[in-house]
Amino acid sequence: MNVDLTVNLSSLKMRNPLMLASGVLGNTGAILRRVAEAGAGAVVTKSIGVKPKKGYLNPTIVEVDCGFINAMGLPNPGVSEFIEELKIAKKSGVPVIASVFGSTEKEYAEVAYRMEEAGADAIELNLSCPHAGGLIQFSQDPKRTFDVVRAVKSAVKIPVFAKLTAEVTSIVEIGKAAERAGVDGVTAINTLRGMVIDIEVARPILSNKFGGLSGRAIKPIAIRCVYELYRELSIPIIGVGGILDFRDVVEFMMAGASAVQIGSAIAIKDLNIFREITVDLKRFMEEKGYKCLKDIIGLAHEEG
Ligand code: SIN
């Protein structure tokens, strides 16, 4: 049987549902191309702002039992310099999604507009970094989420996705605000605020003290969020959090994700993870008789 792994996400056409998550290897055009060559269906850049930003001092990442905690501080060269990297990334032939952040909706809109001009295929709004620039507050307040999405949607024609935090009473309320403002999809979830303390020196390890927890530890929370969003929203959901193999991808899709992002697992398995998951996913679907991804998206919601 011929299994179809292609995904149409808003106007994006992906050869498979696997994206590189933002913040992981997405800071140069050459690396983004390498990830595409390794088999990713789309790539998301590191989050880019209006001006260059140095980020925090080291240590900025620490491995914990079931994942990583990072606090980079949104280091980036600023949009004017990054657009050259974006043009290089575009040569990969897969959709390039520009992750953008700002301190006001005007800044988000400005960066998004410049990324579109430089050839980005879509925008992902980082509304949810749990430790830098106060970004998380955007996706903890439905009005602020609405305002940023509305401003960016008025500035660009390409699809806009909003990356949400699970650190809210109701992620559905935030997702609905984004949907009302015209967002084309939501990404769930960003890392969760955490801390690690070195007991020898009795101090937090990260220079920023607090960081974002990613990896296996957050997968069940991400699955729950995707499930809840799928029940209430009519737009596509991109699932992210702790994916290590094809089973995780199937789980996210059965919860309601139309595509997924891979981040921390690259540090564990390297870039071969994209090919490995594609092959395993195809085999699984063949064995189960699923012809295309639509056959499994949201399947866990069926009764009986
Ligand atoms: C960082 O640059 O510190 C991480 C950004 C994020 O978690 O969104």
Side-chain angles (χ1 to χ4, degrees):
M1 189 174 69
N2 220 356
V3 169
D4 180 9
L5 288 188
T6 60
V7 181
N8 291 330
L9 195 64
S10 188
S11 63
L12 301 188
K13 297 205 181 322
M14 292 168 54
R15 61 186 170 185
N16 67 55
L18 313 178
M19 296 180 178
L20 171 74
S22 174
V24 187
L25 298 181
N27 45 0
T28 72
I31 295 178
L32 287 162
R33 276 184 77 174
R34 257 188 72 198
V35 177
E37 280 156 20
V43 291
V44 187
T45 70
K46 175 81 184 148
S47 295
I48 303 297
V50 179
K51 292 198 202 95
K53 202 168 183 303
K54 267 198 156 125
Y56 304 136
L57 294 175
N58 282 327
T60 50
I61 185 158
V62 53
E63 189 164 3
V64 292
D65 287 342
C66 296
F68 297 90
I69 299 195
N70 87 83
M72 307 280 177
L74 298 165
N76 77 97
V79 66
S80 300
E81 199 165 319
F82 190 78
I83 52 181
E84 295 312 315
E85 301 300 329
L86 193 110
K87 287 177 190 163
I88 296 169
K90 279 286 295 176
K91 293 186 184 142
S92 67
V94 305
V96 178
I97 301 166
S99 171
V100 309
F101 73 91
S103 52
T104 60
E105 54 257 34
K106 219 171 135 223
E107 277 189 16
Y108 275 96
E110 183 185 336
V111 183
Y113 175 75
R114 306 241 352 242
M115 291 291 201
E116 179 182 50
E117 253 189 347
D121 296 288
I123 301 293
E124 183 177 85
L125 302 173
N126 183 349
L127 302 172
S128 45
C129 171
H131 54 78
L135 300 195
I136 194 168
Q137 286 155 22
F138 284 104
S139 63
Q140 284 178 327
D141 177 347
K143 181 173 177 331
R144 294 189 78 183
T145 300
F146 181 93
D147 288 347
V148 176
V149 172
R150 180 50 72 85
V152 175
K153 281 294 292 179
S154 323
V156 301
K157 292 186 188 64
I158 52 178
V160 177
F161 306 123
K163 189 167 182 179
L164 305 182
T165 180
E167 298 188 51
V168 278
T169 308
S170 166
I171 194 167
V172 168
E173 190 190 353
I174 306 294
K176 280 186 167 174
E179 189 174 41
R180 274 197 306 277
V183 87
D184 299 281
V186 290
T187 305
I189 56 175
N190 208 322
T191 57
L192 300 172
R193 190 169 164 87
M195 180 186 272
V196 197
I197 291 172
D198 181 339
I199 59 167
E200 297 302 327
V201 294
R203 292 287 180 280
I205 293 180
L206 295 172
S207 75
N208 185 57
K209 298 187 174 68
F210 303 96
L213 174 65
S214 63
R216 302 299 283 168
I218 71 167
K219 198 189 95 181
I221 299 171
I223 295 284
R224 181 267 296 173
C225 288
V226 169
Y227 189 93
E228 288 181 340
L229 288 164
Y230 184 83
R231 228 171 20 192
E232 304 284 339
L233 268 50
S234 313
I235 47 176
I237 301 159
I238 303 163
V240 51
I243 291 176
L244 198 58
D245 62 27
F246 80 95
R247 289 180 201 84
D248 302 320
V249 175
V250 173
E251 195 179 344
F252 268 100
M253 296 197 121
M254 288 182 172
S258 295
V260 296
Q261 296 182 350
I262 296 176
S264 301
I266 294 169
I268 301 165
K269 287 197 168 171
D270 75 38
L271 283 180
N272 289 328
I273 188 165
F274 290 101
R275 279 237 158 81
E276 179 194 298
I277 292 185
T278 309
V279 169
D280 291 347
L281 181 60
K282 219 171 194 167
R283 200 201 51 233
F284 170 82
M285 290 175 64
E286 266 165 19
E287 279 167 16
K288 298 284 182 190
Y290 299 125
K291 291 192 182 67
C292 63
L293 294 169
K294 283 212 175 89
D295 290 348
I296 55 174
I297 295 169
L299 205 53
H301 291 258
E302 286 181 10
E303 298 292 332

